[in-house]
Amino acid sequence: MEGIVVVTYRCNARCHMCNTWQYPTKIEEEITAKDLATLPRLKFCNITGGEPFLREDLEDIVRVAKSKSDRVVISSNGYFTERMVALAKNIPGIGFRISIEGLPKANDELRGLKDGFDHGIRSLLQLKNLGVKDLGFGITVSDKNAKDLLELYDLAKYLKLEFATAIIHNAYYFHKADNVISDKELVIGEFNKLIRELFKTNRPKNWYRAYFNYGITNYVRGKKRLMPCEMGRDLFMIDPYGEIKPCNVLDVSMGNIKRQSFDDIWNGDKAKEARKIAANCGKNCWMVGSVSPAMKKDIMTPTMWILKNRKKYLKSCFPNE
């Protein structure tokens, strides 16, 4: 099982694709490390926000998460370099993913964060120099920054960092219903170029990332999701108020971890009902949080796609299906 722990809706960025910062949580309302004591054993835990490093007690939360999880990764905009480095020193073995939405101009405009690119790169370099192994950055693509996709991939490759991709979505979590890709062919074309670059490498992990990125193009085309969604079964989200939900798209609570143990919530009637809703939501989201567990569960589906399509992409023949 995997978990997403959203520790705050407070954020210092003003992102174009996310309005969470307009609906900040109050410090006294946010979950604490103590509230996470009943979490089960997890394969993976992603700590995110808002901006997690606005939490003064983030280290306490991370320590609990690390005691419960095989792997812990914190998602951040990278602005608070000193805090990130201090945490990495105090709790070795955790991972970091920094959001970078393009080259400096595009990133700072889309993030609404002055010198955000500079802060993000500085954080990545200092964490890398510190010896952090699980380290990378990612981009949320729209037609406003799609042209920077390959350059960021090249930068990640040069720095020997992991590179993650996402596509804009609309959800209650983002407080957005107007995220739209106007030039779909532009975006799909840039993703196809990225898929080809991933296939050029001799790293099988990149080939499976090629499949994930192909899934993004499928989503942009408005087609049915390539793999079943198991949110609420293989993965859950805890929001800053302690509500356990299937994911960050469905505003459906299974119960509150401040008032009940995780096991009581997970096996309760509200959880069963939430799973039914999640299984039939029809939103066709394609986010790494839900796709990664699905790929691990059914590794043959992406494997067969790789075997069928790798040569086509290497020849620049981009499949339409």
Side-chain angles (χ1 to χ4, degrees), residues 285-303:
C285 302
W286 193 257
M287 302 183 195
V288 71
S290 64
V291 177
S292 178
M295 289 175 64
K296 293 171 186 174
K297 192 172 184 178
D298 177 16
I299 195 66
M300 285 308 299
T301 293
T303 299

Side-chain angles (χ1 to χ4, degrees), residues 2 204-216 225-230 234 286-303 305-306:
E2 300 185 0
K205 185 176 181 179
N206 281 344
W207 304 349
Y208 286 93
R209 285 181 171 158
Y211 175 79
F212 172 77
N213 284 285
Y214 168 67
I216 290 180
R225 183 184 162 106
L226 297 177
M227 302 188 78
C229 178
E230 298 290 342
D234 296 336
W286 193 257
M287 302 183 195
V288 71
S290 64
V291 177
S292 178
M295 289 175 64
K296 293 171 186 174
K297 192 172 184 178
D298 177 16
I299 195 66
M300 285 308 299
T301 293
T303 299
W305 180 87
I306 290 167

